Amino acid sequence: MAVLPFRLRLRTAAVSGLTSSTSVVCPSRQQRDGGSFSCRAAAAAGGPIIVSGDPPTFVSAPGRRIVAVGDLHGDLHQTRAALVMAGVLSAESDCHVWTGGQTVLVQVGDILDRGEDEIAILSLLSSLNVQAKSQGGAVFQVNGNHETMNVEGDFRYVDPGSFDECIRFLEYLEEFDGNWDDAFLNWVNVSQRWKEEYRASPNGDWLPLNFVKKNKGLAARASLFKQGGPLACELARHPVVLNVNDWMFCHGGLLPHHVEYGIERINKEVSNWMQGSSEDNDDTDLPFIATRGYDSVVWTRFYSQDSVERTRRSWDLSSIIAEQTLKSVGAKGMVVGHTPQTRGVNCKCDGKVWCVDVGMSYGVLHSRPEVLEIVNDRPRVLKGQRDSYDEMEVLDYL
């Protein structure tokens, strides 16, 4: 594995009391998977996976099974449960082995906030991607509104335990002497041990009046997620809109004016902003059409609201707009997250849009995990049986 340049300007004393001047330098833009790649497994019947765009925008994955997973919000336990149920992760809790073969896994955003194991989930998905590629599969992530909020420095929805994870992760990085890839990919394997040891240490618990610890947590998180910070650069590897085999994946939804603006342009502008590599690093450089406003890619709920929350005219209009949008990009369907679905993964807009956010995190609804599987362009919902964790209930919608 290539060693990426990574530098931490931290002294031992600073680890025990981070300040706002703590600086973490972003890893190189050289990606583990490159701007485009081919996954060539010996048994790949449909040919290699071809990725276009940096960050990835268009993916050709002939003959692959696609699995879409909704919002995870820092809940590592539920994340594992969803991935095991989808058949892409080993069931053993002490190891994280890709079992999906040539499957293409797509996570549609909002890994951050509301739960305490965000970095561990980011680490897990990146580790699985490395393993999947060696077998002819792949793992893709799509950034959601909570990813862009954190890069903006909006920490309103951060779980206190996640501030602690940032502190632990910075301390852990010191052991790797600049090897960001090894450190980041291995974090999921050691994060729980570090958490237990940290909580057993003096002042390990987050107390309401422990202002020193709060400031330390804020400084650690800011250094990791600020524009150009190492985790902001990790997020910058991922798009906000992804086309896999002519299925569109995004967090909130794709609308006609997004297509007119340009999908690749949106992805590139958000990625550059996260890296801090745009011409001007002011907040105003954040692409409004993608990340701000009720009709932006990561915020819109135009397709995902329940029918009881909208008029019949609005319901009909959303179906018409979805059809127009998909036709304009030559897509077969759209998969979105963002809005928790109280009745589980379901399709809307006359079957054109699939909503996969079931609120599985303990910080949201703590509902049973469900995922969407697409095989030969036929979607179906996978979810665990209520009375048995060894069987699966499959609802075929088409």
Side-chain angles (χ1 to χ4, degrees), residues 211-227:
F211 297 113
V212 173
K213 186 165 184 255
K214 283 187 176 182
N215 287 335
K216 180 180 176 182
L218 284 168
R221 191 171 188 87
S223 68
L224 290 167
F225 283 103
K226 69 181 180 181
Q227 285 179 270

Side-chain angles (χ1 to χ4, degrees), residues 55-58 142-143 238-243 248-251 253-254 258 263 266-267 297:
T57 302
F58 300 100
V142 173
N143 286 319
H238 310 301
V240 291
V241 182
L242 181 68
N243 180 325
M248 305 305 298
F249 297 85
C250 52
H251 183 64
L254 189 67
H258 303 147
I263 294 173
I266 285 174
N267 285 341
V297 177

Side-chain angles (χ1 to χ4, degrees), residues 227 269 272-273 275-282 284-286:
Q227 285 179 270
E269 288 181 354
N272 287 343
W273 172 77
Q275 295 175 78
S277 60
S278 56
E279 294 180 0
D280 185 358
N281 289 335
D282 292 340
T284 54
D285 288 335
L286 195 159

Side-chain angles (χ1 to χ4, degrees), residues 21-41:
S21 62
T22 301
S23 177
V24 183
V25 178
C26 176
S28 164
R29 181 56 184 161
Q30 175 190 354
Q31 298 185 356
R32 285 181 289 272
D33 52 13
S36 63
F37 63 88
S38 298
C39 299
R40 304 181 186 275

